[in-house]
């Protein structure tokens, strides 16, 4: 029962993803709310009595949260080393609440909104490193990929729920229309901060700081096994041995992540997460209203609901495939298909969307919407969740906090570039921007094929051994089959030893019973002799 509760709580850590998703899902709608525009927009059209933003201000209000995320990802490393992952998650959850309060209390200063978004971004960035890392260290290797993917599932669910909340509050009067969505976002931070208090610390971190007894206790409670069990002792000793080897050179410094042992993986993590954003997913989510307005859809909030529903529904599918199909195949095929979707989207938008009289061709608009949805479907089955799996399981413990921070910083750098520069580029070249995203998707497919190694079903220590070996990424599946073969042989040997122990115990029991029967016979003989003597 305790194992089930622990597993649920480990998944609950993915609420960190919900915080980021809620921010992404709410910003597009909030920027279009009339009261928010009247207070913070810098353009006014007296003929239509409507407010709007310059490209610079819209880019800053949308993108500065990602700039904060970039620095927050880097900031997570020292906190992790000093107070551990669990306490760091609790701390940054509190910081997220403070950031939302800054946003809610804004009245007319758009700079205060900007400061609040940066502060929220710092916390989301830090949590994006801490949550997948914690889950990777605590979850069993057989389901580690699925557990880490729940981070993206919660993020997509947060995006959808935030979009639905915007629909419910858009017609309210005064500041309630945008303060209620922000206030609800704050509540998600409260839930995470309270829930994390019931979680155990990562056993790898406990061994790392010398608390081996507590680490062993956490491992036993998670697996519901006794400390004397062979599998517990084997895993515990393997983790301790690897940590001792890694820490022989002392704590890693920032420059060490570029050393010959780890720089390949540092580059892999950074490039994977940077490309994860540059392939164009947030082109739709941040600017859904503007993108679909050009296709003939006039409802400002419906595009976010449509994309959010697809985003959440399809991300659930990956939980069942990531530990079966693996990491490499979904990423390579996903990027290839997404490139095709963006190419068709751009071609139709550039050549067929607008008629000579300036009106929109609804059929062309429908084609663009379909391929936009197909892109989101593919992204949510591949790069969306599996990118975080790469971050969570690729780095050894000595470098993990810093390398994961750099990788997550790549994610938020790409996110900032898309959110800030999209208005300028889109205004200049329109739907031709889709051609650029199509090319980036093709590059991403090659990057995974030539750099990422398959790691499904391996322990974190085995993942480290794989990357230290000379196995080529495209041959890594063969390595996994050999490891699994060794696991099977080890299980059979362990089962044989257990049978021998059982036979030995059974033989001792039979010998004990036989001796007891002999003693009983002797006692009967003695009693009979005493009786004859009395007679």
């Amino acid at each position: 029962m305790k194992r089930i509760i622990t597993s649920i709580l480990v998944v609950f850590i993915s609420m960190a993803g919900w915080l980021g998703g809620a921010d992404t899902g709410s910003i597009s709608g909030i920027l279009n709310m009339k009261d928010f525009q009247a207070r913070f927009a810098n353009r006014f059209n007296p003929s239509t009595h409507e407010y709007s933003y310059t490209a610079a201000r819209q880019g800053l209000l949308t993108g500065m949260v990602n700039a904060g995320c970039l620095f927050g990802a880097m900031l997570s490393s020292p906190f992790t080393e000093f107070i551990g992952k669990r306490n760091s998650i609790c701390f940054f959850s509190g910081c997220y609440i403070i950031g939302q309060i800054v946003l809610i209390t804004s009245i007319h200063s758009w700079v205060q909104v900007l400061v609040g978004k940066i502060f929220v971004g710092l916390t989301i960035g830090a949590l994006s490193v801490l949550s997948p890392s914690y889950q990777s260290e605590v979850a069993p290797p057989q389901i580690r990929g699925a557990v880490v993917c729940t981070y993206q599932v919660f993020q997509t669910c947060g995006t959808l729920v935030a979009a639905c909340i915007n629909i419910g509050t858009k017609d309210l009067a005064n500041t309630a229309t945008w303060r209620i969505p922000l206030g609800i976002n704050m509540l998600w931070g409260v839930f995470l901060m309270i829930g994390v208090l019931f979680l155990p610390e990562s056993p790898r971190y406990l061994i790392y700081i010398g608390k081996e007894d507590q680490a062993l206790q956490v491992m036993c409670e998670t697996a519901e096994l006794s400390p004397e069990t062979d599998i517990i002792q084997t895993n515990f000793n393997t983790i301790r041995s690897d940590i001792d080897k890694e820490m022989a050179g002392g704590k890693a410094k920032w420059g060490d992540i570029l050393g010959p042992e780890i720089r390949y993986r540092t580059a892999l993590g950074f490039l994977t997460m940077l490309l994860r954003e540059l392939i164009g997913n947030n082109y739709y989510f941040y600017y859904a209203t503007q993108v679909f307005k050009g296709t003939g859809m006039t409802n400002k909030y419906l595009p976010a609901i449509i994309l959010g529903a697809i985003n959440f529904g399809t991300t659930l599918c990956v939980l069942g495939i990531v530990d079966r199909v693996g990491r490499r195949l979904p990423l390579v095929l996903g990027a290839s298909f997404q490139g095709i979707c963006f190419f068709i989207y751009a071609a139709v938008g550039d050549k067929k969307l607008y008629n000579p009289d300036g009106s929109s061709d609804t059929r062309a608009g429908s084609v663009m919407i379909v391929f936009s949805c197909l892109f989101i479907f593919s992204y949510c089955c591949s790069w969306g969740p599996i990118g975080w799996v790469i971050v969570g399981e690729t780095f050894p413990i000595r470098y993990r906090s810093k390398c994961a921070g750099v990788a997550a910083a790549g994610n938020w750098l790409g996110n900032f570039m898309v959110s800030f520069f999209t208005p300028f580029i889109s205004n200049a070249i329109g739907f031709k921007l889709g051609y650029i995203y199509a090319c980036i998707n093709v590059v991403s497919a090659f990057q995974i094929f030539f750099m990422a190694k398959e790691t499904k079903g391996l322990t974190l220590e085995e993942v480290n051994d794989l990357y230290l070996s000379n196995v080529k990424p495209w041959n890594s599946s063969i390595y996994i089959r050999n490891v699994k073969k060794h696991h099977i042989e080890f299980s059979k040997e362990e089962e044989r030893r257990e049978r021998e122990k059982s036979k030995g115990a059974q033989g001792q029991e039979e010998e004990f019973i036989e001796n007891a029967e002999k003693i009983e016979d002797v006692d009967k003989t003695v009693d009979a002799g005493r009786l004859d003597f009395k007679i």
Side-chain angles (χ1 to χ4, degrees):
M1 183 64 181
K2 186 173 290 186
R3 180 181 183 180
I4 296 175
I5 295 174
T6 301
S7 299
I8 292 173
L9 289 174
V10 169
V11 172
F12 177 79
I13 283 292
S14 293
M15 276 298 299
W18 188 296
L19 304 187
D23 182 81
T24 301
S26 61
I27 186 62
S28 178
I30 288 176
L31 288 177
N32 285 286
M33 292 177 178
K34 293 182 179 180
D35 186 84
F36 190 89
Q37 289 179 333
R39 294 172 183 273
F40 306 113
N42 55 344
R43 279 180 175 175
F44 178 71
N45 188 334
S47 60
T48 61
H49 297 284
E50 291 182 351
Y51 291 89
S52 61
Y53 309 91
T54 60
R57 180 164 295 192
Q58 183 172 12
L60 287 171
L61 289 175
T62 305
M64 286 309 292
V65 67
N66 299 308
C69 288
L70 190 156
F71 292 103
M74 306 295 288
L75 189 64
S76 65
S77 176
F79 278 89
T80 301
E81 293 177 354
F82 283 110
I83 62 176
K85 289 184 172 62
R86 188 191 70 162
N87 293 334
S88 295
I89 292 172
C90 186
F91 171 78
F92 282 108
S93 299
C95 293
Y96 176 85
I97 295 170
I98 296 173
Q100 291 295 342
I101 292 174
V102 173
L103 289 173
I104 294 170
T105 55
S106 301
I107 300 177
H108 291 289
S109 173
W110 79 278
V111 176
Q112 182 176 342
V113 175
L114 204 63
V115 171
K117 295 294 285 184
I118 294 173
F119 202 82
V120 168
L122 285 170
T123 62
I124 293 175
L127 291 172
S128 71
V129 178
L130 296 168
S131 174
S133 297
Y134 176 89
Q135 291 173 318
S136 293
E137 293 184 6
V138 176
Q142 296 82 4
I143 60 170
R144 185 178 62 242
V147 169
V148 176
C149 282
T150 59
Y151 177 87
Q152 182 69 12
V153 171
F154 275 59
Q155 188 174 47
T156 58
C157 188
T159 302
L160 175 60
V161 170
C164 293
I165 292 171
N166 284 345
I167 287 282
T169 64
K170 65 182 179 66
D171 295 324
L172 296 179
N174 301 324
T175 60
T177 186
W178 54 272
R179 280 179 168 162
I180 290 177
L182 294 176
I184 294 175
N185 285 353
M186 183 181 69
L187 290 179
W188 307 135
V190 174
F191 293 155
L192 177 60
M193 186 173 66
I194 294 174
V196 75
L197 297 176
F198 296 93
L199 278 166
E201 183 54 88
S202 161
R204 286 175 175 81
Y205 175 76
L206 292 172
I207 295 175
Y208 172 75
I209 61 176
K211 297 183 178 181
E212 296 185 358
D213 292 340
Q214 293 184 28
L216 186 61
Q217 181 181 354
V218 171
M219 293 176 68
C220 293
E221 290 178 352
T222 304
E224 289 187 340
L225 296 172
S226 64
E228 295 79 16
T229 307
D230 286 345
I231 190 170
I232 291 292
Q233 287 296 320
T234 300
N235 290 340
F236 177 80
N237 291 329
T238 300
I239 294 172
R240 182 173 60 182
S241 174
D242 285 355
I243 290 175
D244 289 342
K245 291 178 183 177
E246 291 174 16
M247 298 309 299
K251 291 184 178 180
K253 299 178 182 179
W254 282 105
D256 294 339
I257 65 176
L258 298 178
E261 179 187 9
I262 195 67
R263 62 190 173 200
Y264 178 91
R265 281 180 273 180
T266 303
L268 168 64
F270 179 81
L271 287 175
T272 299
M273 297 307 287
L274 176 67
L275 292 171
R276 177 182 178 272
E277 295 301 326
L278 294 183
I279 56 181
N281 60 302
N282 281 325
Y283 165 72
Y284 293 110
F285 285 111
Y286 285 134
Y287 300 103
T289 300
Q290 292 89 330
V291 170
F292 284 98
K293 184 178 180 180
T295 65
M297 185 178 291
T298 57
N299 189 308
K300 295 181 179 181
Y301 300 92
L302 185 59
I305 296 291
I306 294 173
L307 295 179
I310 297 172
N311 194 16
F312 173 62
T314 53
T315 303
L316 289 174
C317 300
V318 81
L319 297 181
I321 66 172
V322 67
D323 288 311
R324 296 176 182 172
V325 178
R327 284 66 160 149
R328 281 172 51 84
L329 185 61
L331 291 175
V332 172
L333 293 182
S336 302
F337 180 73
Q338 289 154 205
I340 295 172
C341 291
F342 249 126
F343 183 84
I344 295 174
Y345 170 88
V348 174
D350 184 41
K351 303 295 184 182
K352 296 293 184 181
L353 179 61
Y354 294 112
N355 297 316
D357 60 359
S359 61
S360 298
D361 186 326
T362 55
R363 289 181 299 177
S366 299
V367 171
M368 295 177 69
I369 292 175
V370 168
F371 279 94
S372 299
C373 294
L374 288 174
F375 172 91
I376 296 299
F377 174 84
S378 175
Y379 178 84
C380 293
C381 288
S382 55
W383 283 80
I386 298 178
W388 292 112
V389 178
I390 299 291
V391 173
E393 66 184 15
T394 301
F395 312 114
I397 192 168
R398 182 175 180 232
Y399 306 98
R400 186 168 298 146
S401 61
K402 289 182 172 60
C403 286
V406 169
N411 177 86
W412 299 115
L413 174 62
N415 206 324
F416 172 76
M417 292 171 66
V418 171
S419 59
F420 182 76
F421 291 110
T422 291
F424 299 98
I425 300 174
S426 185
N427 289 342
I429 63 176
F431 291 109
K432 291 179 181 177
L433 177 58
Y435 294 128
I436 298 175
Y437 285 127
C439 293
I440 295 175
N441 275 277
V442 174
V443 171
S444 301
F446 281 101
Q447 181 259 336
I448 291 297
F449 182 82
F450 287 107
M451 288 191 71
K453 298 185 180 183
E454 187 55 69
T455 56
K456 66 173 182 178
L458 300 180
T459 66
L460 296 182
E461 289 68 38
E462 290 166 344
V463 171
N464 187 44
D465 292 338
L466 170 60
Y467 274 99
L468 290 176
S469 70
N470 294 322
V471 176
K472 300 298 182 184
W474 49 90
N475 292 328
S476 52
S477 296
I478 300 174
Y479 179 91
I480 290 179
R481 286 197 293 269
N482 292 333
V483 170
K484 289 184 176 180
K485 182 180 178 181
H486 173 74
H487 286 173
I488 293 172
E489 291 175 353
F490 178 80
S491 299
K492 289 181 178 179
E493 178 64 22
E494 186 176 1
E495 183 180 353
R496 185 187 63 79
R497 289 198 301 267
E498 290 295 329
R499 284 200 303 267
E500 289 179 354
K501 288 180 182 179
S502 177
K503 288 180 180 179
Q506 184 177 1
Q508 291 177 357
E509 183 179 356
E510 291 175 353
E511 183 179 354
F512 176 80
I513 294 173
E514 184 179 350
N515 291 337
E517 290 176 349
K518 289 180 179 179
I519 293 172
E520 186 177 356
D521 291 339
V522 171
D523 289 341
K524 288 180 179 179
T525 304
V526 172
D527 290 340
R530 288 175 180 172
L531 182 62
D532 292 339
F533 178 77
K534 289 180 181 180
I535 294 173

